[in-house]
Amino acid sequence: MAANFWQSSHAEQWIFDKTELMRSRSEDYKLFTEEEYAKFHIFWANFMTSVATEGVHVPANNSRIRQQVIATAVTYFKRFYCRRSFKDMNPFLVSCTSLFLACKVEEHTPLSVSSFLKNTAQILPKKWGVPFDSSLSKNGNVYDAEFVLVEILDCCLIVYHPNRPLNQFLTDINKNVQLREFDQIEAQCHKVVNDTLRCDVGLLFPPHIIAIASLVVGTELMGRGDEIQQWLSELSVDIDKVVDCVDQIYKMYKLWRDFDEKEQVKVLLAKLPKINMMPNY
Amino acid sequence: MLKYDKMEKIGEGTYGTVFKARNKDSGEIVALKRVRLDDDDEGVPSSALREVCILRELKHRNVVRLYDVVHSENKLTLVFEYCDQDLKKFFDSLNGYMDPQTARSLMLQLLRGLSFCHAHHVLHRDLKPQNLLINTNGTLKLADFGLARAFGVPVRCFSAEVVTLWYRPPDVLFGAKLYNVSIDMWSAGCIFAEISNAGRPLFPGADVDDQLKRIFKQLGTPTEESWPSITQLPDYKPYPTYHPSLTWSQIVPNLNSKGRDLMQKLLVCNPSGRIDAEAALAHAYFSDTTDL
């Protein structure tokens, strides 16, 4: 399904402008300030990454595939909370279910729900000092939530990620500009792409813009931003969008750096509305 | 599910029952596919998820449209565009004669749908007349994308129809993994012959062995020369050297020479020798309309 992003449901339904995005979260902004909300999403992305990569159930697979599953899952999670608020469905349940669903859609080795939940129960207290809500631990909850997720996501389960365009751009740069230690640049830019899961750029920009922005940020972080200036100036792309995207990635890094997860996650979680596991759909 | 009035059962799909229904608001007739849930650790079956997310992205005249997915009472129901009949039923209504114009139009639409799917990196893998729907305007639509790419061969058999071998290429019959568009092209070739003969299947084998014999009796038994590394296939076993006893004009008497040429380019035992959908659409059979 790599063929055409512009005709995809991703392009047609899941790229928002900032006002739309803010409006879609108005319920949750009553409980959280914008900054808290942004931090909270950093936590959820970190949490999903941990559940996916640090557990008993993780098969010895190559990490690139695993990253794609995580990226898809985090996207499901973010899209879900564009349509629904935290009080509609427990984010722990949504995050586990997103991972479960992404594994199937990305044709990753299907994971069993039981081992998933077991893993979550271990990771939460260990990494964030948060007790695991035992009402979560019923497999049936995830099965029910899966239905809800598919419905709220409007069956748009195929997600386009910036990694593929990033690879194309990197190949192009490597052909046209002689950069030393190219593999380090490559690794740095992919790391930035993966980090962008912690902010909203995936909901605001098409993947190729995020890829270019990640190139800019990646090279600048290495102090080598100048070296791709020439290449950038020859690109025919909406440069305002790239600048906007770059800006948001830096904001996310700043926020993430100042985010003391051990301390603040508990506070954020305490603000979550007390809700039933399953909403009435 | 309150939105739809269920009418009658119209079939059995890969993973569930299909009903005809009416949308209460719009009056539109739709097809509802109820997804069966198994009690294992899987949740929504991967095959159903696969069909949902693939059809969500594929919008083409010759691919059946998925309108909606409805969740109620722990069931998942897929809402599809309704078509009056499938190609198999269409054959039954023909009384043994297919006019060449219609045959060509059906084949053209089948290849257009396939070419679109293949361009989107989607293999159908289970093409057969029952999976090709035809609406009242004579538009053909590819349906039933329930065979997940990751699984290849039908996962579970709910009815005899699912396991039919008739449209399966020799490489797959010999146990090859299904990762290539050529699998659909072979099926298209078999369906092409069946269309031309108003519904008489080309290779109606009873089992894998019989299926391969029927194919080789018509096309000649492949050798290491015509199909390098054939002997390496997982389930390969040698077959006697058959020589075709019937000519193509005897097998598909209603098809003109250009049509026969296209058919022979589709029905090539060696998968790497099979024509692809785009090239097939450019074939003279479709461009030269003088001699039907």
Side-chain angles (χ1 to χ4, degrees), chain A residues 166-180:
Chain A
L166 176 62
N167 280 330
Q168 288 164 356
F169 291 135
L170 283 166
T171 313
D172 189 52
I173 291 177
N174 201 22
K175 243 187 285 169
N176 294 297
V177 195
Q178 285 307 313
L179 295 181
R180 68 202 148 74

Side-chain angles (χ1 to χ4, degrees), chain B residues 211-226:
Chain B
Q211 187 67 31
L212 282 163
K213 274 188 192 145
R214 284 171 183 269
I215 293 170
F216 297 155
K217 277 180 183 161
Q218 179 52 36
L219 300 177
T221 310
T223 59
E224 272 288 334
E225 284 84 69
S226 70

Side-chain angles (χ1 to χ4, degrees), chain A residues 1-4 7-10 12-13 100-101 104-107 110-115 139 143-144 146-148 150-151 154-158 160 281, chain B residues 37 39-46 49-50 52-54 56-59 66-72 74-76 116 119-122 148-151:
Chain A
M1 285 306 291
N4 198 334
Q7 286 163 19
S8 67
S9 60
H10 184 152
E12 283 173 4
Q13 281 176 249
F100 180 62
L101 193 57
K104 284 198 261 182
V105 171
E106 298 287 354
E107 299 186 14
L111 301 176
S112 92
V113 169
S114 337
S115 68
N139 293 2
Y143 298 142
D144 292 341
E146 189 184 19
F147 281 129
V148 179
V150 169
E151 194 179 330
D154 196 18
C155 306
C156 304
L157 302 176
I158 291 172
Y160 289 76
Y281 284 108
Chain B
L37 291 182
D39 293 330
D40 54 22
D41 218 13
E42 202 201 7
V44 177
S46 298
L49 269 182
R50 212 55 227 157
V52 165
C53 59
I54 285 175
R56 192 66 188 72
E57 306 298 324
L58 294 180
K59 286 177 189 154
L66 174 69
Y67 290 144
D68 201 3
V69 174
V70 187
H71 149 243
S72 66
N74 295 329
K75 289 190 193 76
L76 200 64
F116 180 79
H120 283 76
H121 301 266
V122 172
R149 266 190 300 179
F151 295 115

Side-chain angles (χ1 to χ4, degrees), chain B residues 21-41:
Chain B
R22 181 185 284 112
N23 182 323
K24 282 182 199 164
D25 302 330
S26 65
E28 190 183 10
I29 302 293
V30 296
L32 302 180
K33 200 176 202 172
R34 179 68 60 77
V35 178
R36 246 188 290 263
L37 291 182
D38 298 319
D39 293 330
D40 54 22
D41 218 13

Side-chain angles (χ1 to χ4, degrees), chain A residues 216-266:
Chain A
V216 173
V217 174
T219 49
E220 280 180 2
L221 287 176
M222 297 173 82
R224 299 177 58 185
D226 299 346
E227 297 173 41
I228 61 159
Q229 279 309 315
Q230 181 66 25
W231 177 83
L232 269 178
S233 66
E234 285 161 15
L235 274 186
S236 86
V237 64
D238 185 340
I239 204 72
D240 291 342
K241 279 196 177 156
V242 175
V243 171
D244 191 3
C245 187
V246 166
D247 193 41
Q248 299 210 31
I249 296 173
Y250 277 127
K251 271 192 191 141
M252 177 273 298
Y253 274 129
K254 181 172 182 318
L255 200 66
W256 194 3
R257 206 176 45 231
D258 298 341
F259 181 23
D260 180 352
E261 290 188 56
K262 270 248 146 115
E263 284 307 309
Q264 294 178 32
V265 166
K266 273 178 258 180

